[in-house]
Amino acid sequence: MKSSTRNILIVSLSMGILVVMILVVYLIRKSMYKASVKKILENSGIKNMPRVIDKIIIHCSATKPKQNCTVEVINEWHKARGFSCIGYHYVIYEDGSIHTGRPVGEIGAHTSGQNANSIGICYIGGLDANGKPKDTRTLAQKTALRTIVESLIDIFPHAKVYGHRDFANKACPCFDVKTQL
């Protein structure tokens, strides 16, 4: 065997091993992440919830990049609008961390006419620097959103996933939930 052919074979084999190693690390991290999401859901009281859930509705906070937005900030916005507290059950920050908003056992205040049997999830973002609707989800937010939705579907197998815009004349959540989630 020529040395150049042998070198190509070694490089190809090395690349294959590297791809397998990356895939293994990815699957382990995804499994660990899913377990942490499951723990967040369990800690929010979802297992003992008296409500029947048939919808999971995705929202954006309609905030610009780098704009300070947390569960506490949204809670203040919603209280100023007359809500008892934040209307969303879960909020996903730019770093992909998932935070509990309104207790999941309580009816949300996030989608007019749809709150009684739904869970509302909001990701931070949704506007570009000029204030125009845009899918600004980070990779971490996309992963977190997909993971929490999959976990909720495991708990509520008959629930369907929607974007806020499916029920209102809005751009929210600024991406097509049906094709991108």
Side-chain angles (χ1 to χ4, degrees), residues 56-60 110-112 114 123 126 133-135 137 161-181:
I56 299 165
I57 303 175
I58 312 303
H59 300 263
C60 66
H110 54 86
T111 307
S112 183
Q114 305 299 321
Y123 77 90
K134 180 180 180 186
D135 181 3
R137 291 174 299 152
V161 184
Y162 300 93
H164 186 194
R165 70 186 189 180
D166 294 322
F167 301 103
N169 188 21
K170 298 177 179 274
C172 179
C174 301
F175 71 94
D176 183 6
V177 168
K178 301 284 188 231
T179 62
Q180 296 181 36
L181 188 60

Side-chain angles (χ1 to χ4, degrees), residues 13-14 19 21 27 43 48 50 68 71 76 108 110 117 141 147 151 157:
L13 183 60
S14 297
V19 167
M21 289 173 59
L27 291 173
N43 289 342
N48 304 316
N68 179 36
V71 167
E76 291 305 314
H110 54 86
N117 296 80
Q141 284 176 310
T147 304
S151 298

Side-chain angles (χ1 to χ4, degrees), residues 10-170:
I10 290 170
V11 168
S12 296
L13 183 60
S14 297
M15 293 297 290
I17 291 170
L18 181 61
V19 167
V20 169
M21 289 173 59
I22 290 170
L23 182 60
V24 167
V25 169
Y26 169 78
L27 291 173
I28 290 170
R29 289 186 73 203
K30 184 175 180 183
S31 174
M32 290 171 56
Y33 191 70
K34 188 154 186 163
S36 71
V37 168
K38 191 172 186 177
K39 189 171 208 106
I40 290 167
L41 292 176
E42 288 171 359
N43 289 342
S44 70
I46 203 157
K47 294 282 186 182
N48 304 316
M49 196 171 67
R51 298 188 306 128
V52 174
I53 300 301
D54 62 9
K55 294 176 200 74
I56 299 165
I57 303 175
I58 312 303
H59 300 263
C60 66
S61 62
T63 51
K64 296 177 184 177
K66 309 272 190 245
Q67 185 176 338
N68 179 36
C69 190
T70 62
V71 167
E72 293 77 16
V73 168
I74 297 171
N75 188 47
E76 291 305 314
W77 293 345
H78 286 187
K79 283 177 151 181
R81 292 177 56 196
F83 299 174
S84 63
C85 65
I86 186 171
Y88 309 117
H89 296 99
Y90 301 100
V91 178
I92 302 173
Y93 289 8
E94 291 95 335
D95 66 1
S97 59
I98 299 170
H99 301 262
T100 303
R102 182 179 290 235
V104 75
E106 293 181 17
I107 294 173
H110 54 86
T111 307
S112 183
Q114 305 299 321
N115 293 316
N117 296 80
S118 68
I119 291 177
I121 303 171
C122 176
Y123 77 90
I124 301 300
L127 299 180
D128 67 15
N130 297 314
K132 302 288 183 200
K134 180 180 180 186
D135 181 3
T136 60
R137 291 174 299 152
T138 63
L139 181 58
Q141 284 176 310
K142 289 177 182 181
T143 301
L145 186 56
R146 187 174 299 110
T147 304
I148 193 170
V149 167
E150 287 172 357
S151 298
L152 287 167
I153 294 294
D154 287 345
I155 297 167
F156 305 105
H158 300 293
K160 302 289 183 232
V161 184
Y162 300 93
H164 186 194
R165 70 186 189 180
D166 294 322
F167 301 103
N169 188 21
K170 298 177 179 274

